[in-house]
Amino acid sequence: MTDPRRAWLHCRPAIPPAAVPPASRSALPAAAPTILVISQVYVPDPAAVGQHMHDAAADLAARGYRVIVYTSARGYEDPAQRYPKREYLDGVDVRRLPFSSLGKQSIAARLAGGGVFLLQALLRGLFTARLAGILVSTSPPHAPLAAIALSRLRGAPMTFWAMDINPDQMIAMGKTTAASLPARLFDRMYRMTLRRASAVVALDRFMADRLERKLGPDALRNKLHVLPPWSHDEHLASVPHDDNPFRHEHGLDGKLVVMYSGNISPAHPLDTVLQAAEQLRDEDGLVFLFIGGGLQKEKIEAWAKEKDLSNVRTLPYQPLDRIKYSLSAADVHLVAMGEAMVGIVHPCKVYGALTVARPILLLGPKASHAGEIADLGVGWQADHGVVDGVVELLRRLNRDRPAELAEKGQAAGELAAGRFASRGVRDRFADVVEGTLPTSKRLASNGAATA
């Protein structure tokens, strides 16, 4: 059975919520306006969307709203993982629905599980008392369908959090074509979502541009907001190599560690760095460490075994209490972005690297969100296929590492603490959701309803 406390580092570490003891449930604002969150994944499930949904829901609950989350009672990655049917986490009423995840073995299984979840969420949402607003993202990809129906039937404003864009992602990955029936249906749903939403949150300006192109430049005016997923400086810290038990345990002392930590997905191609690792097989003291899971992890392991590469290692997702140590064990963090994925998916793992004050190496186009971050003096960028350039860079860093790594690492930590600090971004996100609510249903600063 999957450990729900493991870290899903595609975007961020899994942070366990604080359960509200039964005695304090009466303190929850049951008579306050209700904000409904629809998300197939939610903590303690380690999927990234659910982690950020938890933060947003908790922040809205802290403002005095009654926040109800409809989510799956089963794990997203592993449907054998079961969660409590109902619990109060950080002031949020979490209600988990049965038979709402069939795993990720196939697109059909994912859509079927998502469909069952959405039908249940819709039926329950129809009878949710004092419904003032709805927050929905892209888990499952067709989640907005339930939100759209509830928004129309209940007259509640909807905030759409675009974590990725489909069918664009499936088309870019070659899983389908723009002319296929599923792609056309999903595209129609996405456009309908953008039209219906009172607020749309994109993760970067490239994603915002793509969303605007779906409806035209003026259709999203005054309701499109660009907010990156927040870093988690309150849960991560930079650990010096000499004090890092993770490095000691895994024999990394004295090594230059190039790390990829997170979901190893086809959307984040790593062929260039793998070819560089093969060329650098005899470079003493250089280790390529891949931590996490995903569709491509087994391929990396098989490839390294076939090539007999001792400098390529893999590890599973790390437990919560080891995340700061595993991320800090790196000297350079890899961030990969497929050429066709710019504006479709967002390289969330960059924030963990910045927060532990480690530089990044972007494998992907310079004209991207991660490319703009790397250009701020916190790392390097290499186009896919430029293997010799990556080899030259890593060989140079391995032989003369301290000064350049320290300089870019310091800049990374300062950027995380400033531009991507958690509290400021989270407050702005809560402002966006709250701003969609009718004036009569917004709460005053003292936590009482204004009307």
Side-chain angles (χ1 to χ4, degrees):
M1 182 175 292
T2 302
D3 180 358
R5 290 173 61 84
R6 71 180 185 174
W8 178 272
L9 291 176
H10 174 63
C11 276
R12 57 158 287 183
I15 306 301
V20 177
S24 64
R25 292 178 187 176
S26 60
L28 296 174
T34 299
I35 297 177
L36 180 62
V37 178
I38 300 175
S39 178
Q40 190 179 16
V41 293
Y42 196 79
V43 295
D45 191 285
V49 173
Q51 300 290 334
H52 278 86
M53 277 295 195
H54 159 262
D55 290 349
D59 289 344
L60 291 166
R63 294 190 177 198
Y65 293 96
R66 176 182 179 234
V67 181
I68 296 176
V69 174
Y70 288 129
T71 187
S72 173
R74 299 186 179 188
Y76 183 58
E77 282 280 306
D78 178 12
Q81 175 68 57
R82 305 295 180 91
Y83 302 116
K85 291 182 179 179
R86 186 175 182 182
E87 60 184 335
Y88 292 85
L89 304 176
D90 293 328
V92 177
D93 185 354
V94 183
R95 306 179 184 186
R96 297 191 177 92
L97 310 179
F99 312 112
S100 295
S101 175
L102 302 178
K104 298 174 63 177
Q105 294 87 351
S106 67
I107 293 178
R110 295 173 66 177
L111 291 177
V116 173
F117 163 69
L118 293 178
L119 179 60
Q120 294 181 80
L122 172 59
L123 293 175
R124 295 191 182 209
L126 289 174
F127 300 99
T128 298
R130 299 176 298 281
L131 184 61
I134 304 166
L135 172 61
V136 69
S137 185
T138 52
S139 177
H142 45 311
L145 288 175
I148 291 170
L150 286 174
S151 178
R152 288 177 172 173
L153 294 172
R154 297 294 306 273
M158 176 180 74
T159 298
F160 175 55
W161 199 356
M163 293 284 190
D164 51 41
I165 301 179
N166 273 302
D168 307 46
Q169 183 175 186
M170 291 295 102
I171 294 171
M173 293 171 61
K175 301 294 185 181
T176 188
T177 65
S180 68
L181 179 59
R184 286 186 282 125
L185 290 175
F186 262 97
D187 189 61
R188 182 175 181 180
M189 179 206 71
Y190 218 101
R191 294 171 189 269
M192 187 188 312
T193 302
L194 297 176
R195 292 191 186 96
R196 181 67 192 181
S198 297
V200 176
V201 178
L203 304 186
D204 58 56
R205 70 177 183 89
F206 297 92
M207 184 176 286
D209 289 344
R210 184 175 284 268
L211 291 176
E212 286 183 327
R213 290 199 298 271
K214 283 189 175 292
L215 295 183
D218 298 325
L220 297 179
R221 181 175 295 177
N222 299 324
K223 69 176 182 179
L224 178 60
H225 308 265
V226 179
L227 289 172
W230 40 85
S231 63
H232 293 273
D233 42 12
E234 68 271 36
H235 301 291
L236 293 175
S238 178
V239 180
H241 285 348
D242 290 343
D243 301 327
N244 194 331
F246 186 93
R247 284 183 68 95
H248 306 332
E249 178 184 344
H250 294 284
L252 301 175
D253 290 330
K255 307 288 188 182
L256 179 79
V257 179
V258 181
M259 180 184 292
Y260 183 96
S261 183
N263 182 29
I264 308 173
S265 159
H268 311 294
L270 295 167
D271 292 349
T272 299
V273 77
L274 293 176
Q275 293 174 37
E278 184 176 6
Q279 291 191 29
L280 291 164
R281 64 190 307 157
D282 297 323
E283 182 74 15
D284 186 46
L286 182 57
V287 173
F288 296 83
L289 181 57
F290 298 87
I291 300 178
L295 298 175
Q296 300 298 302
K297 184 179 181 182
E298 290 184 3
K299 292 184 178 180
I300 290 177
E301 293 172 337
W303 177 86
K305 182 177 180 180
E306 177 187 349
K307 301 292 184 179
D308 192 26
L309 297 179
S310 61
N311 63 342
V312 175
R313 308 181 191 178
T314 62
L315 289 172
Y317 291 109
Q318 296 299 294
L320 170 67
D321 58 0
R322 294 177 63 84
I323 291 172
K324 66 179 180 180
Y325 300 110
S326 65
L327 291 183
S328 295
D331 292 284
V332 177
H333 273 277
L334 292 173
V335 178
M337 172 65 67
E339 294 281 353
M341 292 295 168
V342 176
I344 296 177
V345 297
H346 185 86
C348 303
K349 61 174 58 61
V350 67
Y351 306 112
L354 298 178
T355 302
V356 297
R358 298 296 186 269
I360 64 171
L361 169 56
L362 168 66
L363 302 173
K366 190 177 183 65
S368 65
H369 179 71
E372 291 181 341
I373 291 178
D375 202 38
L376 295 174
V378 302
W380 308 266
Q381 177 270 336
D383 292 331
H384 290 291
V386 185
V387 179
D388 290 344
V390 173
V391 168
E392 180 182 354
L393 170 66
L394 296 180
R395 182 174 283 134
R396 173 170 57 81
L397 291 177
N398 188 42
R399 296 178 181 180
D400 184 25
R401 70 186 77 163
E404 188 172 3
L405 288 173
E407 179 183 351
K408 291 187 180 296
Q410 180 179 349
E414 291 173 354
L415 185 62
R419 179 172 169 182
F420 299 117
S422 171
R423 190 68 268 160
V425 182
R426 287 174 63 167
D427 284 345
R428 292 200 298 275
F429 185 88
D431 288 343
V432 169
V433 177
E434 192 173 32
T436 67
L437 307 183
T439 303
S440 62
K441 295 184 178 180
R442 297 180 195 177
L443 297 182
S445 58
N446 62 4
T450 58

